[in-house]
Amino acid sequence: KVLDASTLSFGTRVKWFAICFIAGIVCSILGTALLWLPKGIKLFAVFYTLGNIAALASTCFLMGPLKQLKSMFEPTRLIATVVMLLSLILTLCAVFWWGKKGLALLFCILQFLAMTWYSLSYIPFAR
């Protein structure tokens, strides 16, 4: 029952959805603002990725984690999900392990495109 959204009240689920979603937006905006600092690309990549993860996690409160995972890996959005998750991971790899700032920026752009594609996959006929 812990992984089921129904164990939380509707008000609690909406509240945590809003908190995570707003945190995601704040992280993304903060990352963009930090981009202009001397080592800003690293901060941008980290905060932008955290923002996308928080935004993605926010919907877990509405649907529940198991239902969200099942939905994410349905055939109609499988490729979008895989590209999105890979771009999140590769951004952090580019920054922390490979030390390639340009590659990190490219993966952030891919994150944006993949998150857009993934989000549109929930709207009938949008893709």
Side-chain angles (χ1 to χ4, degrees):
K1 278 286 196 184
V2 172
L3 295 177
D4 185 8
S6 64
T7 60
L8 301 173
S9 72
F10 180 73
T12 301
R13 289 187 286 139
V14 170
K15 193 181 308 178
W16 279 103
F17 163 78
I19 289 168
C20 285
F21 193 76
I22 291 168
I25 292 170
V26 168
C27 281
S28 295
I29 291 171
L30 181 60
T32 303
L34 294 172
L35 182 60
W36 311 112
L37 295 177
K39 294 193 182 217
I41 187 68
K42 192 178 220 180
L43 294 170
F44 167 71
V46 170
F47 278 101
Y48 189 76
T49 301
L50 288 175
N52 280 334
I53 291 169
L56 185 63
S58 69
T59 56
C60 284
F61 286 101
L62 294 180
M63 299 173 71
L66 290 179
K67 188 174 180 184
Q68 168 130 0
L69 283 173
K70 286 178 186 175
S71 178
M72 287 173 69
F73 289 98
E74 288 177 355
T76 55
R77 65 182 60 89
L78 178 63
I79 295 172
T81 299
V82 170
V83 170
M84 177 191 57
L85 294 175
L86 275 175
S87 64
L88 293 170
I89 293 166
L90 290 173
T91 299
L92 297 177
C93 288
V95 166
F96 290 115
W97 287 282
W98 306 328
K100 304 287 184 186
K101 295 175 184 175
L103 199 55
L105 187 58
L106 174 66
F107 288 134
C108 284
I109 292 167
L110 283 174
Q111 274 187 55
F112 174 79
L113 295 173
M115 286 293 276
T116 302
W117 182 21
Y118 171 78
S119 299
L120 288 174
S121 75
Y122 281 91
I123 301 170
F125 307 110
R127 293 184 300 152

